[in-house]
Structures are given as C-alpha cells and as structure tokens.
Amino acid sequence: MQIYLVKLSAAIFGVVCAVSAAFNTPAQAEGIKADISYVRLTVERPPVLSNLDPIPPDEGLAGAVLGNNDNAGTGKFLGHKYSLSVFDLLKDGTLAPISGPLKQPGDLILIDAPAVAILAFADRPANADHLILNVRSPDVALRDANCRANVLHTAPSYAMRGDALAQFLLLRRWNDLVMIEGRHPADHAFANALQSSARKFGLMIKQVKKWVIDADLRRTASTELPLLTQEFPRHDILIVADETDDFARYLPYNTWLPRPIAGSEGITPVAWSGAVESWGAAQLQARFTDTAARTMRPVDYAAWAAIRSIGEAVTRTNSSDAASLRNYILSAAFELAGFKGRKLSFRNWNGQMRQVIHLTHPRAVVANAPLPGFLHQHSELDTLGLDAPESTCGAFDNP
Amino acid sequence: MYKFYHLRLAAALVMGLNAQTALAGEMWITNEKDHTVSVIDTKTLKVKATYNVGLRPRGITFAKDFSELYICASDDDAIDVLDPNTGLVIRRLESGEDPEQFALHPDNKHLYISNEEDALATVLNVETGEAVAEIDVGIEPEGMAVSPDGKIAIVTSETTNMVHWIDTESAEIFNNTLVAQRPRHGEFSKSGDRLWVSSEIGGTIAIIDTATQEIIQTLNMHIPGISDDLIQPVGIRLTDDGTKAFVALGPANHVAVIDAKTFEAIGFVLVGRRVWHLEFAEDEKQVFATNGISGDVTVIDVETLKPIKTIKVGRFPWGAAFRPG
C-alpha cells in the first residue's frame, strides 16, 4: 500500500525516495526455520517412439535442491535455517517419506503431480492452511474454475505458453496456422490452449489433424509425413501439440511444404531451457549442472522458483509461518530475481507466478515473451495467460 | 557542429605531430566476448588501439599511479596485469575462480575480488600475487568497493540480495545489509559516508549510511514509455564534488543523472542497448557508458548531459577505466 502511494505521488519524470523500512535487515532472529516438503507423484508415462532424451528421474526435485542451497546461502547471514524433505505420493493417497528430516510433510509444500492429484491433496482438510506450490501441472483450470486459495503455481499454464507463441507468430506475421494434435489428454489440453491463444491474438488455425500414424517413424517419417501434411491448406507454420514427446521430433524437414514447426517441437514456448543464457542465467545453469549433472529443464526451474519464492518471503518477513509467507508472496512488495530479465511476482487473482516465457529451439533462444509491442496497463507479463478479467477463479481475495 | 569538427581536426593534427607524447587521456574498455580491451583516445574519441587479454575480460581498474592496469579474466580464473604503455600482459595473478569485479584498496597493493561462481571474495596482494584472504560471502558476489579510508570493503551478492561489510583489517564480515533483488554494484561517496548500491531486478538504488550500514533512501526511477520492470540499474558513478550520480539503467537504454543531495532525477540520457558500466574522463567532464548489446560506448557531456558520440568497440563491452594524459 505504501509503495503504491509513493508511486502515485511521484512526478512521472522523477526519482522517488521510498520509505526504506521495507528493505531493512530484519533483526537477527533466533529459531526461524523453514522446513519445506517436496511431494511428488510418479506418473507412468506412455511409450514414446524415440529412445532419445529420457526424462530424468529427478526432474523437478533437482531444481528444488538447488533452490534450497540458494536459500541457505542467504539464511546463513540472517540466522534462518532451511530443510528439504521429499515424499512420494502413493496411489492410495498415503505419503512415503524418502529423504530429509521430516516424517510428515509440514505446511510449506512443493507439489509435483498432475492436476487431479494436486486438487485431491489441496482439498484435504488438514492441508487447508498449507502453502502449496504447483511446480508441474500446466492445467488451465487450476488457474481458473478449479483454483484453490492454498495452491500457487510457479509452473506456467498451457495458456501462458500458448499466448507466448501466439505473440511471436503475430509479430512475425505468420498468421495462417495448421495444427497436428497428439492422442493424449495433455496434447488435447495444449491444443485447446493454442486454439484460445490463436483466437485471443487474431491468428487463424485453418485445420487440425489428429495424430493417427502408428508406423515406426524412425524409418518411415520421410515417406509418411509429407503425405500427412500434403492435405493441409496453405499455411505459414505448422504447430504441433505433442506434450508426451512422442512423434513431433520427426516432423521438421518432413513436411510437404517447407514450413517451420512450433509448439511442442521446433520453436517451443517454455519456462526454461538449456539455451537460456542471458540475464545471469549462465550462472544458474552452471550451479544447476554442478549439482544435478544435467541440463536444467522447465520443471526444475519451476521447483527452483517455488523454493526461492518461499525463501525470499522468509528473508523479508523474518517468519516461516505459512499464512504470513502466502500473504507476502501475493503482495505487491514481493519480487524475485529469476534470471529471465524481468522480476518474478505472483498474480493475486489466481496464484500464478508471472514470468517471461522463452521461445526456444534446442540450440538458441529465438525470442522472449512478452514480445515488444504487447502492452498492458499493469504488467506486460500479464499479456501471457489468464489476466484478472479472464480468470473465473474466486478463491483469492483480490484487493 | 562545425566548430566541433574543427576542434577535432585540430586535435588530430596535434596528436599526429606529437605522436610520442601522450597528451590525451585514454578510456580502456573490456570487451567480454572478444577477449580484448579497446583503448579510446578521450580527446579524439576514437579507438586508438585494441589489445588481446585473457578470456572473458570484465572488471578493469588502474593502479593508483596508472603504471599498471588490472583486468579480471573471468574464464581464465586470473587477473591480467597490463603495461598500459605497451598493452602487453606483463604478469598474471591467480584470483580464485571466476573473478568478475574487483576494487583496489587505497594502499595500492590489495585487490578485493568477487569470485562469482564460488560465493567467495578474495583479497590479493598484487605485488606478490598471493591471496592473503578468502571470505565466504553470499551467492553470486559481484559488486565490490573499498571505502576511501580503506577500512571497509563491501561486496554485493546477487542471489543472496545483500551487501556484505568486510573489515579490511581482520578480513571478516561485520554486518550484512539486505537490499532489493540482484544487487549489482556498490559505490562509496568521495567522503566515504554513503554507499550507493544498485539492485538490477529490484529496479532501485539503495543509499546506505556507512556508519550504521542502514538504508537511508531507496530511489525508484520512472521513464515515460519504458516499462518499470525494464529499469534495471547496474553501474554507478558519483562525482567527486558530491553533486551528481550517474546510473546505468541496463535494458532501459538510458543513463539516469541524479542530484546526489536531493535524490531528484536531473535527467535521463539515451545511450546504446543494455548500458552496463560507467566511468568519468577528463576531470569528470565526460562520462563513458558501455553498451553491452550494441557493442559500443556512449560519451556523455557532463555539463550539458547530452550524448556527444557513440564509439564502436568490441563485442559485449563491460567495464571502463580512465587514464589521464
């Protein structure tokens, strides 16, 4: 509130002397200890065509481990302690402790699970006042009609990723699209988001094909895929929704028309990629590779950002109480440096973390969304995903 | 404009006649992605030499008598020592891993170095090449400054969001000041009683009282037409007379000029893309600003606060250090 008042009263072309109290070092507090739990549900993944690029078993968790180290780096100067405990969420809903000091999850939780499991977990009466951060599910409904007051999201939604791609295509004037949609529910969810984004930004998806080919594309892609794509009307770019990483890798250079690919392959809108190296990201990538011995993936980034958000709130509030941390994280005072070129903060209407979405291919960043020219009355980052008027989430008390 | 050209012509002529004597000052610029330094003649405003140095040169500073030039060769984990008369690296000091920035103690003997990837500050004796102290600091230390009386060194850590205050006598941290997100650079006032710290992602400047290590002012800057979250302050320079501060605003592509007494903005000077660090030349009549993305250096006239020339240098110009003529 103070900050807003100061901003209002400031001359547009001036320098404001804000009240410094917000940034003063908290008194050296004894006994502030933040015990964070990482709750994960290991999901069976459908078989995919290629044996390349297996998903690492510590995907997500490795980011949390790094974020916990980063928090401890600050905590040691302030007398704040941090711990990380890992739990497997079993099919019957019970929790198996895997590592760390806690035998039961505390009230500061990172959840790495599909939307259905997140809702079931968040709706347990005992968890009502917990602070739960979703580091994996991109499900749009979790930020909309199915939102929960106790669940914040550091993973971007499909809508944010779709909007990022749509902005890029519009800026390039690649307005005519066709789409191939995979067979899995996740493919359908991403395809829906891409449809909404195309509508929002005035692009035209001229035709959608469901993926039906079951041949071994490792041998037949060059004969099958030109035929499949020959039937499409004229288009500027082919977008593909293949969120299980099944077939899309065979599309580039095997299309009837020489067209680029975007979506789950080609130019991909992602929260993070090994190709991100600006804004100090090279440091984060190096620290991650040192601890995890692999490249940082989007879910790792979401977990890192979640645990850093908790850490940042502990640092500034001098507290580890879930309600205080949640209030601070959702307040206008919260900001986090996240190696994306703009500060991270949370939307107070649905708990989604605002963030830059990178448009990448495996060897470089193509562009970063929000793209230049996509303006917003409050934050350009809110041009991505569900803005306050679009979200039907009613669980948050918007000031 | 005509006059200006005439003057430059005349200067060039004089330079040609007196090729042996170094009348003009020199601005030395590190080019992070070229492994070189560019030397700009501050009279003609032209690059007069480019020298090869170690890998990924960033921090740069002269010895107090300008007899030697120190450069952080970040990817070589070393400090290169150059003879500024020849541009040759005359010796190389082991700095600890990934030195990014440093500050030379007024004793002209000790470099205080931030080791970005190791969460350390190293104190190096430049005469013996010996590391005399290593201090554990926060994650990603970057900004480094030593107070004019030499009693205090400060280091900013970017991920820990702190200023660490080091007693140079004991080489121990005696206090930490929490600041806004991603503190990049610290600069003491000439009198030493104030420390200015830029927070790149926080978008603010903290002015800290050296005696209490407490923030006394936090400055926010607004430029019409530029999104507030793109105002990302990095390099700071304060005039010796204590009247003005110059602040490089990163991707906002402007240098802010601030009245150092009232903390009001005097103006914003449009420069190149992603402006990073700043340095005064010619008795503080000019400020040179390194523009990382556009690969050039903008020269600002301190009196008129106008950019007077942009000079192409190498790739990713990072730091700047001035040697008077």
Side-chain angles (χ1 to χ4, degrees):
Chain A
M1 199 58 204
Q2 210 159 34
I3 287 174
Y4 275 119
L5 283 177
V6 166
K7 273 195 176 164
L8 276 174
S9 63
I12 300 170
F13 205 73
V15 171
V16 184
C17 306
V19 178
S20 62
F23 292 121
N24 277 354
T25 312
Q28 294 271 327
E30 292 304 318
I32 297 291
K33 195 163 184 297
D35 291 312
I36 299 166
S37 304
Y38 191 93
V39 174
R40 63 182 182 191
L41 175 64
T42 308
V43 187
E44 275 181 36
R45 295 177 200 284
V48 295
L49 291 171
S50 171
N51 297 321
L52 303 172
D53 306 318
I55 292 170
D58 64 346
E59 188 188 38
L61 179 59
V65 169
L66 179 64
N68 193 52
N69 292 346
D70 286 358
N71 285 347
T74 305
K76 74 179 175 191
F77 296 106
L78 297 172
H80 297 162
K81 296 226 180 315
Y82 294 88
S83 78
L84 179 62
S85 303
V86 182
F87 298 86
D88 274 345
L89 183 58
L90 304 177
K91 288 233 171 67
D92 61 2
T94 56
L95 287 156
I98 302 298
S99 66
L102 300 185
K103 294 291 159 250
Q104 285 291 324
D107 55 5
L108 304 175
I109 292 165
L110 272 57
I111 190 154
D112 174 355
V116 169
I118 292 174
L119 286 176
F121 186 81
D123 288 343
R124 293 182 191 183
N127 296 349
D129 297 324
H130 289 7
L131 175 61
I132 302 169
L133 289 120
N134 161 28
V135 304
R136 183 173 296 267
S137 175
D139 182 65
V140 178
L142 278 183
R143 287 87 169 161
D144 202 18
N146 282 344
C147 71
R148 296 292 186 271
N150 55 348
V151 183
L152 311 184
H153 314 271
T154 55
S157 64
Y158 282 131
M160 291 167 74
R161 291 173 51 208
D163 287 351
L165 180 59
Q167 288 188 0
F168 173 75
L169 298 178
L170 188 60
L171 201 72
R172 283 279 186 278
R173 303 194 179 205
W174 295 345
N175 294 359
D176 291 337
L177 321 175
V178 294
M179 179 156 73
I180 296 177
E181 183 186 318
R183 285 180 283 201
H184 299 285
D187 304 336
H188 186 61
F190 187 36
N192 274 349
L194 289 166
Q195 292 272 16
S196 302
S197 298
R199 265 197 305 280
K200 182 168 166 182
F201 289 97
L203 304 170
M204 171 76 82
I205 298 184
K206 293 167 89 174
Q207 194 182 347
V208 181
K209 276 175 179 280
K210 285 271 186 187
W211 181 256
V212 288
I213 298 173
D214 52 10
D216 184 351
L217 283 177
R218 289 175 297 179
R219 293 182 180 209
T220 60
S222 65
T223 50
E224 297 277 355
L225 298 181
L227 291 175
L228 177 78
T229 53
Q230 186 179 11
E231 295 158 11
F232 277 128
R234 288 199 71 82
H235 54 276
D236 297 317
I237 189 163
L238 167 61
I239 54 179
V240 54
D242 173 32
E243 287 297 282
T244 63
D245 197 16
D246 184 20
F247 60 90
R249 67 169 70 229
Y250 300 104
L251 280 167
Y253 312 109
N254 278 323
T255 50
W256 181 253
L257 294 172
R259 293 289 180 270
I261 314 283
S264 303
E265 188 64 43
I267 306 160
T268 54
V270 289
W272 196 251
S273 144
V276 180
E277 53 179 346
S278 294
W279 314 290
Q283 261 81 253
L284 181 65
Q285 305 275 23
R287 286 210 304 282
F288 184 86
T289 306
D290 281 350
T291 56
R294 60 175 177 80
T295 306
M296 194 175 199
R297 299 164 65 94
V299 181
D300 298 315
Y301 182 84
W304 175 86
I307 208 158
R308 281 288 298 125
S309 295
I310 295 174
E312 179 60 19
V314 171
T315 300
R316 304 288 169 178
T317 61
N318 210 21
S319 155
S320 58
D321 162 63
S324 312
L325 299 183
R326 179 184 178 279
N327 286 343
Y328 183 76
I329 288 171
L330 288 171
S331 76
F334 180 87
E335 58 188 30
L336 181 66
F339 304 94
K340 282 169 165 280
R342 292 177 188 241
K343 63 184 87 169
L344 309 175
S345 58
F346 286 76
R347 294 177 181 153
N348 63 4
W349 56 89
N350 65 0
Q352 172 68 53
M353 185 177 81
R354 293 185 182 91
Q355 59 191 293
V356 168
I357 300 291
H358 308 287
L359 293 142
T360 70
H361 65 74
R363 285 172 45 81
V365 172
V366 181
N368 300 288
L371 272 298
F374 292 91
L375 304 179
H376 190 277
Q377 64 275 31
H378 299 306
S379 166
E380 285 161 13
L381 293 172
D382 288 339
T383 61
L384 305 174
L386 300 182
D387 198 359
E390 294 171 287
S391 172
T392 60
C393 173
F396 288 72
D397 311 317
N398 305 347
Chain B
M1 205 60 202
Y2 252 104
K3 210 186 235 169
F4 185 62
Y5 276 113
H6 279 309
L7 281 177
R8 270 175 47 194
L9 272 175
L13 219 63
V14 171
M15 277 306 299
L17 293 172
N18 299 294
Q20 300 293 9
T21 47
L23 281 177
E26 294 168 343
M27 188 62 77
W28 290 61
I29 309 286
T30 46
N31 299 311
E32 183 180 349
K33 278 282 178 190
D34 268 354
H35 313 325
T36 59
V37 287
S38 302
V39 186
I40 298 170
D41 182 310
T42 54
K43 288 275 192 299
T44 64
L45 301 183
K46 284 186 175 154
V47 175
K48 63 181 216 182
T50 304
Y51 300 115
N52 290 322
V53 293
L55 301 184
R56 199 176 180 204
R58 292 196 278 178
I60 178 168
T61 195
F62 278 99
K64 303 292 177 193
D65 61 1
F66 303 98
S67 62
E68 291 187 332
L69 174 68
Y70 306 108
I71 291 173
C72 292
S74 299
D75 285 358
D76 275 339
D77 302 335
I79 305 295
D80 279 345
V81 184
L82 266 73
D83 174 352
N85 293 318
T86 62
L88 295 176
V89 177
I90 48 177
R91 52 182 208 281
R92 169 166 273 201
L93 311 171
E94 284 179 32
S95 61
E97 203 179 330
D98 195 21
E100 175 159 12
Q101 258 212 65
F102 52 18
L104 186 61
H105 192 277
D107 69 8
N108 201 30
K109 209 195 281 185
H110 292 98
L111 273 178
Y112 284 73
I113 305 166
S114 56
N115 300 110
E116 190 172 25
E117 288 199 353
D118 260 6
L120 277 181
T122 301
V123 187
L124 194 70
N125 182 320
V126 292
E127 287 168 5
T128 64
E130 194 185 350
V132 296
E134 274 186 356
I135 304 143
D136 280 321
V137 295
I139 293 163
E140 290 177 45
E142 172 147 345
M144 199 40 113
V146 180
S147 62
D149 64 8
K151 288 184 178 157
I152 299 169
I154 65 95
V155 56
T156 65
S157 42
E158 292 171 355
T159 290
T160 303
N161 301 319
M162 276 180 189
V163 178
H164 308 289
W165 300 78
I166 298 165
D167 177 345
T168 54
E169 194 73 33
S170 64
E172 278 175 13
I173 293 175
F174 66 90
N175 202 358
N176 304 288
T177 308
L178 205 52
V179 292
Q181 297 291 300
R182 209 163 169 76
R184 279 281 191 174
H185 186 81
E187 191 80 12
F188 281 100
S189 59
K190 175 93 171 166
S191 58
D193 57 349
R194 297 282 184 268
L195 175 72
W196 292 51
V197 174
S198 58
S199 285
E200 183 188 18
I201 293 296
T204 55
I205 303 278
I207 295 154
I208 305 174
D209 179 48
T210 309
T212 61
Q213 301 93 47
E214 278 180 17
I215 296 173
I216 51 172
Q217 297 277 5
T218 301
L219 312 186
N220 286 293
M221 286 155 280
H222 307 286
I223 305 177
I226 295 178
S227 181
D228 274 357
D229 67 356
L230 292 179
I231 296 192
Q232 300 182 358
V234 184
I236 304 172
R237 281 290 182 264
L238 306 172
T239 55
D240 275 354
D241 64 8
T243 60
K244 285 193 191 82
F246 290 83
V247 181
L249 298 180
N253 306 336
H254 281 75
V255 170
V257 189
I258 293 160
D259 184 315
K261 294 204 164 73
T262 64
F263 307 122
E264 296 288 329
I266 299 168
F268 296 92
V269 184
L270 181 63
V271 294
R273 295 185 62 200
R274 202 212 67 173
V275 55
W276 213 236
H277 280 291
L278 304 168
E279 187 56 285
F280 288 117
E282 304 296 331
D283 298 325
E284 300 187 351
K285 291 196 180 73
Q286 299 169 341
V287 180
F288 283 60
T290 57
N291 305 314
I293 292 181
S294 47
D296 47 34
V297 170
T298 303
V299 187
I300 300 167
D301 182 85
V302 169
E303 202 185 305
T304 62
L305 299 181
K306 293 246 164 22
I308 52 177
K309 194 175 180 195
T310 295
I311 304 159
K312 188 77 192 153
V313 289
R315 295 194 299 175
F316 290 23
W318 196 96
F322 178 65
R323 179 167 84 139

